[in-house]
Amino acid sequence: MDDRQLLRYSRHILLDDIGIEGQQAILQGRALLIGAGGLGSPAALYLASAGIGQLTIVDHDSVDLTNLQRQIAHTTERVGQPKAESARATLNAINPECHVTPLVERADDARLASLVAQHDVVLDCTDNFKTRHAVNRACVAQRVPLVSGAVIRFDGQVSVFDTRSGGPCYSCLFPQDQPFEDVACATMGVFAPLVGVVGAMQAAEALKLVMGIGASLSGRLLLLDGLRMEWNSISIGRNEACPVCGTQHP
């Protein structure tokens, strides 16, 4: 790191658990972010400001006026622009040292497998089960940790799925062969600050994984009741019969 970087990241470097080595790991880290909406916006902002070296953002959608109540990476002037491109513009203004690659596409299984293999950590910031399961399958196959978040109405949840150390995958918790009804913000609504809370926690977990510090949320699901502002932690175990990760061993 040069003198300017030492100054920019000094508040990280002052932390004993991070220091020079941890910040250098962040600068060399590669994060894949799926979804540049309510969760992806704060997650991307914190990853970029922390100095993540490579951030790839995948989102096929465009900025809509209804997004601006909570999707803080976008602005009124960018309504109609691709979200991935809009997010890159915001992140470049915050930290031009972060290399942001926007991909305006809906990635299929083959594409996800290729993308996941090129990154150190994946953040699932999507809003539908089909995509979540596709991302999970790619992460399990490529042995890359997955940081998952979800928010609807006043409820949020966040966890890490890391089968490298014997932890469960997303399908262990929500089996992909069971029917789930996607609940959209467009019909149910979402309390804006909660996506900031959960998205920031996703960024924190991703950075910890990149640095190899602390204990991740693998094996735990945090549930947030935003009306009471109460957290609950639920232990989740690996399903040995899981069709996605059950045959794998750490």
Side-chain angles (χ1 to χ4, degrees), residues 218-245:
S218 180
R220 288 184 293 152
L221 175 67
L222 290 185
L223 300 172
L224 173 60
D225 179 342
L227 282 177
R228 291 184 173 86
M229 207 52 71
E230 293 179 349
W231 286 99
N232 288 298
S233 178
I234 298 175
S235 295
I236 51 177
R238 192 166 188 172
N239 177 11
E240 295 302 328
C242 175
V244 179
C245 74

Short mmCIF file of all heavy atoms in Angstrom, two decimals, residues 218-245:
data_model
loop_
_atom_site.label_atom_id
_atom_site.label_comp_id
_atom_site.label_asym_id
_atom_site.label_seq_id
_atom_site.Cartn_x
_atom_site.Cartn_y
_atom_site.Cartn_z
N SER A 218 -21.94 -18.95 9.31
CA SER A 218 -22.18 -20.30 8.82
C SER A 218 -22.77 -21.15 9.94
O SER A 218 -22.22 -21.22 11.04
CB SER A 218 -20.88 -20.93 8.33
OG SER A 218 -21.11 -22.24 7.85
N GLY A 219 -23.91 -21.78 9.66
CA GLY A 219 -24.58 -22.60 10.66
C GLY A 219 -25.53 -21.83 11.55
O GLY A 219 -26.14 -22.40 12.45
N ARG A 220 -25.68 -20.53 11.26
CA ARG A 220 -26.61 -19.70 12.03
C ARG A 220 -27.42 -18.83 11.07
O ARG A 220 -26.89 -18.31 10.10
CB ARG A 220 -25.88 -18.78 13.00
CG ARG A 220 -25.25 -19.47 14.20
CD ARG A 220 -24.65 -18.43 15.13
NE ARG A 220 -23.50 -17.77 14.52
CZ ARG A 220 -23.12 -16.52 14.82
NH1 ARG A 220 -23.83 -15.80 15.68
NH2 ARG A 220 -22.06 -16.00 14.25
N LEU A 221 -28.69 -18.69 11.37
CA LEU A 221 -29.56 -17.79 10.62
C LEU A 221 -30.02 -16.70 11.58
O LEU A 221 -30.63 -16.99 12.62
CB LEU A 221 -30.77 -18.54 10.07
CG LEU A 221 -31.84 -17.70 9.36
CD1 LEU A 221 -31.29 -17.12 8.06
CD2 LEU A 221 -33.09 -18.53 9.08
N LEU A 222 -29.70 -15.45 11.26
CA LEU A 222 -30.15 -14.32 12.07
C LEU A 222 -31.45 -13.78 11.50
O LEU A 222 -31.55 -13.52 10.30
CB LEU A 222 -29.10 -13.20 12.09
CG LEU A 222 -27.80 -13.46 12.84
CD1 LEU A 222 -26.96 -12.19 12.85
CD2 LEU A 222 -28.07 -13.92 14.26
N LEU A 223 -32.44 -13.64 12.35
CA LEU A 223 -33.75 -13.12 11.96
C LEU A 223 -33.98 -11.79 12.67
O LEU A 223 -33.81 -11.69 13.88
CB LEU A 223 -34.85 -14.11 12.35
CG LEU A 223 -34.74 -15.50 11.72
CD1 LEU A 223 -35.78 -16.44 12.33
CD2 LEU A 223 -34.91 -15.43 10.21
N LEU A 224 -34.38 -10.78 11.91
CA LEU A 224 -34.62 -9.45 12.46
C LEU A 224 -36.09 -9.08 12.38
O LEU A 224 -36.69 -9.11 11.30
CB LEU A 224 -33.79 -8.40 11.70
CG LEU A 224 -34.05 -6.93 12.05
CD1 LEU A 224 -33.76 -6.66 13.52
CD2 LEU A 224 -33.23 -6.01 11.16
N ASP A 225 -36.66 -8.77 13.53
CA ASP A 225 -38.02 -8.21 13.61
C ASP A 225 -37.84 -6.70 13.69
O ASP A 225 -37.51 -6.16 14.75
CB ASP A 225 -38.73 -8.75 14.85
CG ASP A 225 -40.15 -8.19 15.01
OD1 ASP A 225 -40.46 -7.15 14.39
OD2 ASP A 225 -40.94 -8.78 15.76
N GLY A 226 -38.07 -6.01 12.57
CA GLY A 226 -37.81 -4.59 12.51
C GLY A 226 -38.79 -3.73 13.29
O GLY A 226 -38.46 -2.61 13.69
N LEU A 227 -39.98 -4.24 13.55
CA LEU A 227 -40.94 -3.46 14.33
C LEU A 227 -40.56 -3.43 15.80
O LEU A 227 -40.73 -2.41 16.48
CB LEU A 227 -42.35 -4.05 14.16
CG LEU A 227 -43.06 -3.70 12.86
CD1 LEU A 227 -44.41 -4.41 12.78
CD2 LEU A 227 -43.26 -2.19 12.72
N ARG A 228 -40.04 -4.54 16.30
CA ARG A 228 -39.57 -4.59 17.69
C ARG A 228 -38.08 -4.35 17.80
O ARG A 228 -37.54 -4.21 18.89
CB ARG A 228 -39.91 -5.94 18.32
CG ARG A 228 -41.40 -6.17 18.54
CD ARG A 228 -41.63 -7.50 19.26
NE ARG A 228 -43.03 -7.66 19.63
CZ ARG A 228 -43.97 -8.16 18.84
NH1 ARG A 228 -43.65 -8.50 17.60
NH2 ARG A 228 -45.21 -8.30 19.26
N MET A 229 -37.39 -4.34 16.66
CA MET A 229 -35.94 -4.24 16.58
C MET A 229 -35.29 -5.27 17.49
O MET A 229 -34.46 -5.00 18.35
CB MET A 229 -35.45 -2.83 16.92
CG MET A 229 -34.13 -2.49 16.24
SD MET A 229 -34.13 -2.78 14.45
CE MET A 229 -35.19 -1.47 13.82
N GLU A 230 -35.68 -6.53 17.22
CA GLU A 230 -35.15 -7.66 17.97
C GLU A 230 -34.52 -8.67 17.00
O GLU A 230 -35.09 -8.96 15.94
CB GLU A 230 -36.25 -8.37 18.77
CG GLU A 230 -36.81 -7.54 19.91
CD GLU A 230 -37.91 -8.26 20.66
OE1 GLU A 230 -38.38 -9.33 20.16
OE2 GLU A 230 -38.30 -7.78 21.74
N TRP A 231 -33.36 -9.19 17.39
CA TRP A 231 -32.70 -10.22 16.62
C TRP A 231 -32.91 -11.57 17.28
O TRP A 231 -32.89 -11.68 18.51
CB TRP A 231 -31.20 -9.96 16.55
CG TRP A 231 -30.79 -8.84 15.64
CD1 TRP A 231 -30.49 -7.56 15.99
CD2 TRP A 231 -30.61 -8.92 14.22
NE1 TRP A 231 -30.15 -6.83 14.88
CE2 TRP A 231 -30.21 -7.64 13.79
CE3 TRP A 231 -30.77 -9.94 13.28
CZ2 TRP A 231 -29.95 -7.36 12.45
CZ3 TRP A 231 -30.50 -9.66 11.95
CH2 TRP A 231 -30.10 -8.38 11.54
N ASN A 232 -33.08 -12.60 16.48
CA ASN A 232 -33.10 -13.98 16.95
C ASN A 232 -32.12 -14.78 16.12
O ASN A 232 -32.00 -14.57 14.90
CB ASN A 232 -34.50 -14.60 16.83
CG ASN A 232 -35.46 -14.03 17.85
OD1 ASN A 232 -35.26 -14.17 19.04
ND2 ASN A 232 -36.51 -13.37 17.37
N SER A 233 -31.39 -15.67 16.79
CA SER A 233 -30.42 -16.52 16.11
C SER A 233 -30.88 -17.96 16.15
O SER A 233 -31.21 -18.49 17.23
CB SER A 233 -29.04 -16.39 16.78
OG SER A 233 -28.10 -17.24 16.14
N ILE A 234 -30.93 -18.60 14.98
CA ILE A 234 -31.36 -19.99 14.88
C ILE A 234 -30.20 -20.82 14.34
O ILE A 234 -29.59 -20.47 13.32
CB ILE A 234 -32.58 -20.12 13.94
CG1 ILE A 234 -33.77 -19.33 14.49
CG2 ILE A 234 -32.96 -21.58 13.75
CD1 ILE A 234 -34.96 -19.32 13.56
N SER A 235 -29.89 -21.93 15.01
CA SER A 235 -28.85 -22.83 14.52
C SER A 235 -29.41 -23.67 13.38
O SER A 235 -30.53 -24.17 13.45
CB SER A 235 -28.37 -23.75 15.65
OG SER A 235 -27.74 -23.00 16.67
N ILE A 236 -28.63 -23.81 12.33
CA ILE A 236 -29.04 -24.62 11.18
C ILE A 236 -27.93 -25.62 10.88
O ILE A 236 -26.74 -25.28 10.90
CB ILE A 236 -29.36 -23.76 9.94
CG1 ILE A 236 -28.22 -22.78 9.63
CG2 ILE A 236 -30.66 -23.01 10.13
CD1 ILE A 236 -28.46 -21.96 8.38
N GLY A 237 -28.32 -26.84 10.64
CA GLY A 237 -27.34 -27.89 10.39
C GLY A 237 -27.36 -28.36 8.96
O GLY A 237 -28.29 -28.09 8.19
N ARG A 238 -26.34 -29.10 8.62
CA ARG A 238 -26.22 -29.63 7.27
C ARG A 238 -27.15 -30.83 7.10
O ARG A 238 -27.24 -31.69 7.99
CB ARG A 238 -24.79 -30.06 7.01
CG ARG A 238 -24.47 -30.37 5.56
CD ARG A 238 -22.97 -30.44 5.38
NE ARG A 238 -22.59 -30.56 3.99
CZ ARG A 238 -21.34 -30.50 3.57
NH1 ARG A 238 -20.38 -30.29 4.44
NH2 ARG A 238 -21.05 -30.61 2.29
N ASN A 239 -27.83 -30.88 6.00
CA ASN A 239 -28.70 -32.01 5.68
C ASN A 239 -27.90 -33.00 4.84
O ASN A 239 -27.58 -32.73 3.68
CB ASN A 239 -29.94 -31.52 4.92
CG ASN A 239 -30.84 -32.65 4.48
OD1 ASN A 239 -30.67 -33.79 4.90
ND2 ASN A 239 -31.80 -32.34 3.63
N GLU A 240 -27.55 -34.13 5.44
CA GLU A 240 -26.73 -35.11 4.73
C GLU A 240 -27.41 -35.64 3.48
O GLU A 240 -26.75 -36.17 2.58
CB GLU A 240 -26.36 -36.26 5.67
CG GLU A 240 -25.49 -35.83 6.84
CD GLU A 240 -24.19 -35.20 6.41
OE1 GLU A 240 -23.65 -35.60 5.36
OE2 GLU A 240 -23.69 -34.31 7.13
N ALA A 241 -28.73 -35.51 3.43
CA ALA A 241 -29.46 -35.97 2.25
C ALA A 241 -29.72 -34.85 1.25
O ALA A 241 -30.43 -35.05 0.26
CB ALA A 241 -30.79 -36.58 2.68
N CYS A 242 -29.16 -33.67 1.50
CA CYS A 242 -29.36 -32.55 0.59
C CYS A 242 -28.85 -32.89 -0.80
O CYS A 242 -27.69 -33.32 -0.95
CB CYS A 242 -28.63 -31.31 1.12
SG CYS A 242 -28.69 -29.88 0.00
N PRO A 243 -29.66 -32.72 -1.84
CA PRO A 243 -29.23 -33.07 -3.19
C PRO A 243 -28.16 -32.14 -3.74
O PRO A 243 -27.52 -32.46 -4.75
CB PRO A 243 -30.52 -32.95 -4.01
CG PRO A 243 -31.38 -32.00 -3.25
CD PRO A 243 -31.06 -32.25 -1.81
N VAL A 244 -27.94 -31.00 -3.07
CA VAL A 244 -26.92 -30.06 -3.55
C VAL A 244 -25.57 -30.29 -2.89
O VAL A 244 -24.54 -30.38 -3.54
CB VAL A 244 -27.38 -28.60 -3.32
CG1 VAL A 244 -26.32 -27.62 -3.79
CG2 VAL A 244 -28.68 -28.33 -4.06
N CYS A 245 -25.56 -30.40 -1.56
CA CYS A 245 -24.28 -30.50 -0.85
C CYS A 245 -24.12 -31.79 -0.06
O CYS A 245 -23.07 -32.03 0.53
CB CYS A 245 -24.10 -29.32 0.10
SG CYS A 245 -25.13 -29.38 1.60
#
